[in-house]
Amino acid sequence: MRVPVSVIIPFRNHSAYLTECLESIAAQTVEVGEVILVNDDSTEPNIRKVLRTMVAPYPWVKIFHQKKSKGVAAARNLGAEKAKGKYLLFLDADDKIDPTFVEKTCFKLDQNPLLSFVYTHARFFGREE
């Protein structure tokens, strides 16, 4: 089942984490409507080619590029403007989500039209700085 969710992922120079992020979205118990990557003027070498190769297995991923770095808020806003989903899910490039995340959060929103948003607890992993 496909759900009307647009996942928006802004990033700048963090493409090394995007594969795991996209894998966690692909592993959802329901299919998301679309994923929007917003490249905030990354300076990584060959970033456009790297991104095309990275997203090739995921036909529901769209890529947008900001020519000048405008910051994460502007990148999120651009993703929201381009989104077609009923619901928006903002992730950072180094985030991973539980396989039932989209199913459970959409269920809550669908069951209670008075809700404007839902959130969950976070589990941190890796090195803390």
Side-chain angles (χ1 to χ4, degrees):
M1 175 176 82
R2 186 172 296 278
V3 293
V5 174
S6 295
V7 181
I8 299 164
I9 307 169
F11 72 96
R12 185 168 199 269
N13 299 332
H14 282 90
S15 66
Y17 302 105
L18 281 172
T19 299
E20 285 185 271
C21 184
L22 293 172
E23 287 171 352
S24 77
I25 296 166
Q28 292 299 295
T29 54
V30 294
E31 293 180 70
V32 301
E34 65 182 349
V35 173
I36 298 172
L37 296 179
V38 181
N39 171 15
D40 186 33
D41 195 29
S42 290
T43 59
E44 296 170 306
N46 302 313
I47 188 63
R48 289 177 184 245
K49 182 178 180 183
V50 168
L51 290 172
R52 280 193 303 272
T53 302
M54 185 182 302
V55 304
Y58 310 112
W60 28 263
V61 175
K62 300 172 186 171
I63 304 170
F64 295 93
H65 301 276
Q66 293 191 136
K67 293 188 183 216
K68 285 187 169 185
S69 178
K70 298 175 184 170
V72 69
R76 282 190 184 111
N77 288 339
L78 175 61
E81 288 172 16
K82 301 295 184 182
K84 293 184 169 90
K86 177 180 177 183
Y87 302 122
L88 303 180
L89 169 57
F90 295 97
L91 294 178
D92 291 331
D94 61 349
D95 289 347
K96 296 193 301 186
I97 53 176
D98 183 82
T100 61
F101 182 89
V102 172
E103 179 181 7
K104 289 178 178 178
T105 55
C106 286
F107 176 79
K108 287 290 185 191
L109 289 166
D110 287 340
Q111 293 302 307
N112 190 341
L114 296 177
L115 292 178
S116 298
F117 67 93
V118 294
Y119 64 94
T120 64
H121 294 285
R123 183 174 5 152
F124 296 93
F125 57 94
R127 188 177 79 209
E128 291 186 34
E129 295 181 29

